[in-house]
Amino acid sequence: MEFVQGLPKGVFVGQTGIAHPQALATPNAHLSGFNLALHVQDDAQRVQQHRMILLNQLAKFGVDKITWMTQTHSTICHTVNEQIPFVALEGDGLVTQRAGHALMMMTADCLPVVLGNADATEVANLHAGWRGLATGIVENTVAEMKSQPTWAWLGAAISQPCFEVGAEVKTAFCNKYPELAAAFMAGQAEGKYQADLYAIARFILKRLGVETVLGGDQCSYQQAEDYFSYRRDAKTGRMATFVFMQ
């Protein structure tokens, strides 16, 4: 398992992909590979086994708790430390100050954003599709944190050349932040634009005082061997982005 380099000592960030040496076979070709989502009509037992395989891998680095969410393209963020929710939390952001607690976000084109402070005493993980970015999931997650995040990491998401949106999406961002007009290129069809989720996230993070932004150089849509992509294959699995502190 590869971890992101350049983070404060004791912080571990990574993202799963399609390939995994312990991925279980499935008769459903759409879901072959290391799917971690329960909501995509995969066999629940297979998904739970994949999640246990991942937990066992992370346990070697001191992880003794893992939190998944029911993600809803919202701006809802929860802080989770010692408590273990009996019913899956709904929302799109998680914050923790507890060491050994891995925060999980699932994506397949949407943008995973991991945040943390310089002291390695608090981390956050959020799921940002265009709706979440436009309505404030990044701002809400930073507001939920008890400390100022100094760094962020952007996981694999759909890149600008592959992400066509309608004029209403551009309007949603530019009404809030006029400077974001630069993150939209005219598309092939009239009234269509290609949106740069990475540029939008970097702009918002900079406004919030996050000095260092790493990652943001992958394309879930184009890198078909590496990542699941909902735009490429409507029926598909999900990757997980994780963060934890030792």
Side-chain angles (χ1 to χ4, degrees), residues 130-131 133-135 160 163-187 189-197 200 203 231:
W130 76 259
R131 281 183 186 80
L133 277 177
T135 49
Q160 186 171 19
F163 189 42
E164 191 170 76
V165 297
E168 75 284 355
V169 176
K170 183 182 179 186
T171 302
F173 283 104
C174 295
N175 281 350
K176 192 174 178 183
Y177 301 125
E179 302 94 321
L180 283 177
F184 293 85
M185 288 191 319
E190 196 171 336
K192 295 288 186 184
Y193 295 89
Q194 289 167 317
D196 189 341
L197 289 176
I200 292 165
F203 172 83
R231 282 253 173 156

Side-chain angles (χ1 to χ4, degrees), residues 87 105 117 137 168 200-201:
V87 179
M105 284 294 149
N117 63 13
I137 185 60
E168 75 284 355
I200 292 165

Side-chain angles (χ1 to χ4, degrees), residues 148-229:
Q148 169 64 35
T150 58
W151 60 268
W153 179 76
L154 308 178
I158 192 167
S159 66
Q160 186 171 19
C162 306
F163 189 42
E164 191 170 76
V165 297
E168 75 284 355
V169 176
K170 183 182 179 186
T171 302
F173 283 104
C174 295
N175 281 350
K176 192 174 178 183
Y177 301 125
E179 302 94 321
L180 283 177
F184 293 85
M185 288 191 319
Q188 302 296 318
E190 196 171 336
K192 295 288 186 184
Y193 295 89
Q194 289 167 317
D196 189 341
L197 289 176
Y198 288 134
I200 292 165
R202 285 193 186 98
F203 172 83
I204 295 170
L205 289 163
K206 193 172 181 184
R207 281 189 90 256
L208 295 168
V210 180
E211 298 147 21
T212 303
V213 182
L214 305 169
D217 56 359
Q218 304 288 299
C219 177
S220 51
Y221 186 99
Q222 289 176 310
Q223 292 168 248
E225 306 245 316
D226 302 320
Y227 303 116
F228 296 113
S229 167

Side-chain angles (χ1 to χ4, degrees), residues 1-168:
M1 179 175 293
E2 287 185 29
F3 295 116
V4 175
Q5 302 300 306
L7 301 177
K9 188 171 166 53
V11 176
F12 292 82
V13 172
Q15 184 174 23
T16 65
I18 290 176
H20 190 288
Q22 292 171 270
L24 301 169
T26 174
N28 187 338
H30 299 299
L31 296 170
S32 65
F34 199 60
N35 171 47
L36 290 160
L38 287 163
H39 68 284
V40 295
Q41 280 72 60
D42 198 351
D43 174 50
Q45 192 174 354
R46 176 177 185 256
V47 175
Q48 295 292 13
Q49 283 183 266
H50 283 171
R51 289 184 176 191
M52 284 305 300
I53 288 164
L54 186 57
L55 175 57
N56 287 336
Q57 282 187 284
L58 299 180
K60 294 170 190 159
F61 300 91
V63 170
D64 61 5
K65 178 177 180 178
I66 200 161
T67 298
W68 301 85
M69 301 188 96
T70 299
Q71 297 168 210
T72 56
H73 290 272
S74 68
T75 59
I76 299 164
C77 183
H78 300 271
T79 296
V80 180
N81 287 311
E82 296 308 325
Q83 68 274 38
I84 297 177
F86 184 67
V87 179
L89 293 168
E90 286 197 12
D92 293 273
L94 287 168
V95 175
T96 195
Q97 295 93 30
R98 182 193 186 277
H101 178 200
L103 307 178
M104 315 302 290
M105 284 294 149
M106 290 179 290
T107 58
D109 285 338
C110 287
L111 175 64
V113 182
V114 178
L115 297 158
N117 63 13
D119 304 327
T121 57
E122 183 176 41
V123 289
N125 197 354
L126 63 96
H127 158 259
W130 76 259
R131 281 183 186 80
L133 277 177
T135 49
I137 185 60
V138 179
E139 294 91 330
N140 282 12
T141 303
V142 170
E144 178 75 16
M145 295 177 76
K146 302 227 176 342
S147 60
Q148 169 64 35
T150 58
W151 60 268
W153 179 76
L154 308 178
I158 192 167
S159 66
Q160 186 171 19
C162 306
F163 189 42
E164 191 170 76
V165 297
E168 75 284 355

